[in-house]
Amino acid sequence: MKKPVVALVGRPNVGKSTIFNRLVGKKVSIIEDTPGVTRDRIYGTATFYDYTYHVIDTGGVDLSEDTFNNEIKVQVELAIDEADKILFVVDGSEGLTSNDYVVRDMLIKTDKPVIVVINKMDNKHFKEHMYDFYELGFDTYFNVSGEQNDGIYDLQTEIIKDFQTIIADEYEEGIV
């Protein structure tokens, strides 16, 4: 049976790799404050209750003319294509940036469920930007701190919520 796939996407340094490591339960992705550390897709497996699913960590989408940015964007687009559900990770301590809007525009073109994950809720500047993210226009938002493991349980509960439907749809289509 094909397991559901969840992709983490967002701009650089919003905490995608930290959340990825929390979901898979071990340090797989490298975590640094330097943009561009994650360039290729990184795969892991997460288990929550009776559900096992694949998780894809991606590099940060960035508008600048840096050498690897086009390659990273291609990797992100491949992960989005593979995914059944997408976690759009944003930085709650900094608010929205032009790169967040670029990611939003990529995700609006898909018909896949998107969960906006507002990370770094433990930062003192979080409350200043908390409501800005609703202008992205998605239906589902979760506040988390990947570093502190706050909100990750609730996020996982939301991630698996529709998995029975995803698995049933694939079974009917003959994919399984």
Side-chain angles (χ1 to χ4, degrees), residues 52-118:
T52 300
Y53 58 98
H54 297 293
V55 186
I56 307 172
D57 188 17
T58 63
V61 175
D62 190 346
L63 285 173
S64 70
E65 297 297 321
D66 194 23
T67 308
F68 296 104
N69 287 340
N70 285 335
E71 294 173 28
I72 291 170
K73 190 173 179 192
V74 167
Q75 293 294 320
V76 170
E77 289 170 345
L78 290 169
I80 290 169
D81 287 344
E82 283 183 66
D84 296 300
K85 196 172 277 194
I86 299 162
L87 302 183
F88 178 10
V89 184
V90 294
D91 186 335
S93 67
E94 294 182 9
L96 289 170
T97 69
S98 56
N99 286 328
D100 291 319
Y101 288 106
V102 170
V103 175
R104 182 215 41 204
D105 293 346
M106 291 171 69
L107 296 177
I108 284 176
K109 296 175 187 173
T110 74
D111 60 350
K112 298 182 180 188
V114 174
I115 300 170
V116 178
V117 180
I118 307 169

Side-chain angles (χ1 to χ4, degrees), residues 8 33 70 79 113:
L8 288 93
D33 285 338
N70 285 335

Side-chain angles (χ1 to χ4, degrees), residues 13 15-22 26-34 37-38 57 146-147:
N13 287 37
K16 295 179 300 297
S17 295
T18 301
I19 293 170
F20 173 90
N21 289 339
R22 288 286 182 197
K26 57 187 173 187
K27 288 190 176 189
V28 177
S29 274
I30 299 169
I31 301 168
E32 285 190 31
D33 285 338
T34 309
V37 172
T38 305
D57 188 17
E147 192 170 295

